[in-house]
Amino acid sequence: MMLNDLLFDIERDLCRKPGFWMFLKYVFFKRSFQTVLLYRLRHLLSKKKYINKVNIFLDWFSFFLTSCDIHASAKIGKGMYFPHPVGVVIGKGCIIFDNVTIYQNVTLGRRSVDIPEYPTIHCGSTLCCGSVILGKIEIGENTIIGANSVVTENCEPNSTYVGVPGRKIRNA
């Protein structure tokens, strides 16, 4: 399953620029792929309690390499794409469905230390740079969250939200 998800992640990005050399460049030098690869490896290992020390090292290495903090317990679907993964924070209980694009400095997490409620991002959504989504919030399918928006309520599918707090400006 992990291998299928990784192949789908590669295919999603490489369909724009196919070729063997682009594949090698993508796998070895593209931070967006390295971010997803290390997350998927850590997620797989987090289910095995006896490999905890390896997972702790991979967590540190992942942050060192990609400057992005994705908790190993977050659930991320296939086709995840980070054009610029620097500064992305994804909390422990976040659920992200397929084909979601997340730009730099996006934060997905809980609103309070006392309440472990995390956001759910549905298929095809785009979270632009600097957006913040906290608490038990659902972002509908194909929704765009604008740059530096703070979302405090559920978002309808096929729409665009901007501002602080995030407000709907149009249907897609």
Side-chain angles (χ1 to χ4, degrees):
M1 178 155 164
M2 181 184 129
L3 184 59
N4 288 339
D5 289 349
L6 277 174
L7 291 174
F8 191 87
D9 295 332
I10 292 170
E11 184 179 322
R12 179 176 182 222
D13 198 34
L14 283 182
C15 68
R16 291 172 247 177
K17 297 177 186 174
F20 179 71
W21 294 113
M22 286 305 294
F23 173 79
L24 289 178
K25 177 183 173 189
Y26 185 76
V27 169
F28 291 108
F29 300 110
K30 188 93 170 173
R31 274 197 190 167
S32 60
F33 176 73
Q34 293 167 350
T35 300
V36 173
L37 173 68
L38 288 168
Y39 157 75
R40 295 209 187 283
L41 183 60
R42 288 178 34 243
H43 183 71
L44 181 70
L45 292 177
S46 71
K47 297 175 184 175
K48 314 271 191 239
K49 298 296 181 195
Y50 56 88
I51 312 182
N52 194 27
K53 291 187 186 342
V54 173
N55 209 0
I56 290 170
F57 172 75
L58 281 175
D59 184 36
W60 172 83
F61 181 70
S62 174
F63 185 76
F64 177 76
L65 184 66
T66 64
S67 299
C68 144
D69 187 12
I70 303 174
H71 198 282
S73 297
K75 294 179 180 78
I76 298 178
K78 58 188 176 184
M80 185 68 185
Y81 182 56
F82 296 94
H84 307 284
V86 175
V88 172
V89 177
I90 299 176
K92 180 178 183 178
C94 293
I95 299 171
I96 301 173
F97 288 92
D98 299 343
N99 297 320
V100 172
T101 301
I102 297 180
Y103 286 89
Q104 66 270 21
N105 295 320
V106 170
T107 301
L108 305 174
R110 59 185 182 183
R111 200 177 285 207
S112 167
V113 176
D114 304 331
I115 305 168
E117 295 177 340
Y118 292 88
T120 300
I121 315 298
H122 289 277
C123 299
S125 295
T126 300
L127 309 178
C128 295
C129 57
S131 58
V132 177
I133 302 169
L134 301 175
K136 190 173 177 141
I137 293 174
E138 296 221 8
I139 306 298
E141 289 186 7
N142 303 314
T143 297
I144 299 170
I145 305 298
N148 296 317
S149 298
V150 178
V151 178
T152 57
E153 58 188 36
N154 292 338
C155 297
E156 297 174 16
N158 304 312
S159 53
T160 302
Y161 286 77
V162 297
V164 179
R167 62 190 179 285
K168 182 177 172 181
I169 59 167
R170 68 180 171 145
N171 288 333

